[in-house]
Amino acid sequence: MSNQLSDRINSVTPSATLEMAAKARELRASGKDIIGLSLGEPDFKVPDYIKNAAVDAVNEGYNSYTPVDGYVELKDAIITKFKRDNNLNYEPTQIVVSTGAKQALYNVAQVCLNKGDEVILPCPYWVSYSDIVKLADGVPVEVPTSLENDFKMTAEQLEAAITPNTKMLWYSSPCNPSGSIYSKEELRELADVLQKYPQIIVVSDEIYEHINYGVTEHASMAEFEDMFDRTVTVNGVAKAFAMTGWRIGYIGAPAYIARATNKLQGQVTSGANCIAQRAVITALLESPARIEFMVKEFKGRRKLILELLNDIEGFTCNEPEGAFYVFPDVKAFFGRTVKGKEIKNASDFAMYLLEEANVATVTGDAFGNGNCIRISYAASENDIREAIARIKAVL
Ligand code: PMP
Ligand code: GLU
């Protein structure tokens, strides 16, 4: 009866990251020894001081509906975090807490876009951006970048992509999937172009902010005074605190966007989970130094996976500066037939790795770049070693 469904949902592609993770789970359940490098999910335990804050919240009787835009104390903690880490000065009316950064992004698209409005997405972009935009009747405009330029969009490319219908620019830095980080100078160059187009709102997704390997310092578009009133800064606790299932994300935004988001959320999900919100107050107010051990660990894994991949002929990698993904170019394999299977594109390649090497990765097509695949190194060193050895063997 799928013809009874809306055109809207029929036009949406399922999330490739979640789909691949589900497929890996299914194969594992059927007895296959699958190594999952498809999902961007830290494999660390949530630090005890955060877990204890959640337990305290349960014992203190937090169980009622929460304010739609988040507890006042959490909004204050977010304001403190933005000031401490990003040099951003938000008022409480500019903060909205949501059920994950994904909902925050969805909200922003729903409240900002009209039918036909164009959203510039430098490629590769995070898998859900284009469908979130389409769900709001917007039009994703992909701007291809190159491995040679570390997968970053230049000011010239931005300007060339702008049309009278351009309403927004969305990007993540550190980038999922490439790990690239825009320096403050590079953001300034983009901001200089945007000065000529005051109708364009920027969504700066900074959820990997703390997963930074120290080459390029994190910078926020909203730090520039002339961009503050037209930038939505998106963040969350899934990555930095290994709290993917707690589902807390948030925005700092112009007050009119925050107000509209609050109105939308009030009709859709209401406020985010009460216990998770109380725990996140503690997570954000404690020093970021307490989560540095995870970044150190990821840095070691990054070195390892790059060494192993660069040892396989046909893989070309950039050096990710943040997040926990590598995004190797694998087009050298396209057109080859291995073990009787023809590899025409990145999807075939990822499927080949799943079926023959029992390693789950994600096709680059899902991120707007069909020459690459994404490999998450949010996995143990043992799994990384075994996975890449298997990949090497089947190629
Ligand atoms: N933005 C990016 C770039 C991501 O990788 C993710 C993945 N989780 C999200 C947003 C969504 O985060 P959350 O889990 O908080 O919904
Ligand atoms: N953001 C993670 C990823 O890119 C989690 C999966 C998802 O939310 O799509 O793998």
Side-chain angles (χ1 to χ4, degrees):
M1 291 291 276
S2 70
N3 60 347
Q4 292 293 89
L5 294 174
S6 67
D7 295 341
R8 189 181 313 108
I9 194 63
N10 284 334
S11 75
V12 169
T13 328
S15 161
T17 47
L18 299 185
E19 224 181 18
M20 196 54 149
K23 194 170 272 173
R25 261 197 300 270
E26 224 172 80
L27 288 171
R28 225 175 265 132
S30 75
K32 279 203 159 184
D33 169 27
I34 302 289
I35 302 180
L37 302 184
S38 58
L39 202 56
E41 173 149 70
D43 55 330
F44 298 107
K45 299 217 162 39
V46 174
D48 281 345
Y49 64 97
I50 300 175
K51 284 199 286 201
N52 292 339
V55 171
D56 289 348
V58 173
N59 289 330
E60 284 164 22
Y62 281 95
N63 70 308
S64 309
Y65 284 129
T66 58
V68 172
D69 53 349
Y71 283 124
V72 171
E73 297 89 335
L74 176 53
K75 289 176 45 164
D76 285 345
I78 291 168
I79 288 169
T80 302
K81 174 258 168 305
F82 273 136
K83 207 170 285 175
R84 179 192 66 206
D85 302 343
N86 312 107
N87 201 21
L88 299 176
N89 291 302
Y90 286 111
E91 299 290 330
T93 50
Q94 297 181 283
I95 305 291
V96 178
V97 177
S98 295
T99 300
K102 200 178 260 183
Q103 188 190 18
L105 289 161
Y106 179 83
N107 285 342
V108 172
Q110 289 292 323
V111 307
C112 289
L113 295 174
N114 282 317
K115 195 172 174 58
D117 284 343
E118 293 176 3
V119 178
I120 294 179
L121 305 178
C123 301
Y125 49 79
W126 179 48
V127 63
S128 292
Y129 287 177
S130 56
D131 283 289
I132 287 177
V133 166
K134 284 192 221 152
L135 278 165
D137 284 334
V139 179
V141 174
E142 299 188 350
V143 177
T145 64
S146 66
L147 194 143
E148 292 68 37
N149 197 41
D150 197 25
F151 293 116
K152 284 189 259 192
M153 178 177 68
T154 62
E156 293 72 34
Q157 286 179 306
L158 170 61
E159 182 133 40
I162 294 172
T163 76
N165 295 327
T166 307
K167 182 71 183 288
M168 302 183 95
L169 159 66
W170 285 33
Y171 66 87
S172 61
S173 178
C175 173
N176 177 0
S178 69
S180 310
I181 298 180
Y182 284 94
S183 67
K184 193 161 185 181
E185 294 69 34
E186 287 163 338
L187 289 181
R188 184 63 254 174
E189 286 170 17
L190 299 180
D192 285 345
V193 171
L194 294 170
Q195 286 319 302
K196 296 182 232 167
Y197 306 94
Q199 80 279 12
I200 300 178
I201 298 164
V202 176
V203 168
S204 172
D205 181 345
E206 304 181 11
I207 196 163
Y208 294 95
E209 164 190 11
H210 291 297
I211 323 252
N212 181 321
Y213 304 117
V215 180
T216 302
E217 208 178 313
H218 181 78
S220 300
M221 186 63 98
E223 269 181 85
F224 302 121
E225 228 174 278
D226 55 351
M227 292 304 297
F228 184 74
D229 286 336
R230 48 194 289 209
T231 300
V232 180
T233 309
V234 177
N235 213 320
V237 295
K239 314 296 171 177
F241 300 95
M243 295 173 73
T244 48
W246 297 56
R247 311 305 304 128
I248 299 291
Y250 54 88
I251 55 168
Y256 74 96
I257 293 181
R259 247 193 326 272
T261 295
N262 192 3
K263 179 165 77 170
L264 174 67
Q265 204 163 271
Q267 292 286 29
V268 181
T269 52
S270 303
N273 176 282
C274 58
I275 304 303
Q277 284 199 54
R278 300 312 299 185
V280 171
I281 296 172
T282 299
L284 295 182
L285 291 181
E286 285 291 325
S287 161
R290 297 193 75 163
I291 48 172
E292 268 172 17
F293 72 96
M294 299 193 224
V295 182
K296 236 189 228 158
E297 184 70 27
F298 284 134
K299 195 172 180 178
R301 296 174 187 183
R302 177 188 65 150
K303 184 166 175 285
L304 174 69
I305 199 164
L306 285 175
E307 274 169 14
L308 296 171
L309 286 175
N310 285 330
D311 195 37
I312 306 178
E313 213 186 307
F315 276 78
T316 314
C317 303
N318 71 321
E319 186 162 319
E321 294 189 357
F324 33 63
Y325 309 100
V326 271
F327 197 60
D329 185 310
V330 293
K331 66 173 175 300
F333 295 95
F334 300 171
R336 288 199 206 168
T337 300
V338 207
K339 294 198 171 180
K341 287 188 178 143
E342 193 189 353
I343 297 171
K344 292 187 292 297
N345 49 41
S347 300
D348 288 350
F349 189 78
M351 202 44 74
Y352 178 75
L353 297 186
L354 181 65
E355 287 169 358
E356 294 297 327
N358 286 343
V359 176
T361 59
V362 188
T363 173
D365 289 307
F367 305 89
N369 182 326
N371 289 332
C372 298
I373 59 163
R374 191 191 76 173
I375 308 179
S376 161
Y377 53 90
S380 71
E381 289 208 356
N382 274 348
D383 275 359
I384 292 171
R385 273 183 208 286
E386 171 66 17
I388 309 303
R390 287 187 195 176
I391 290 176
K392 192 172 178 179
V394 299
L395 292 172

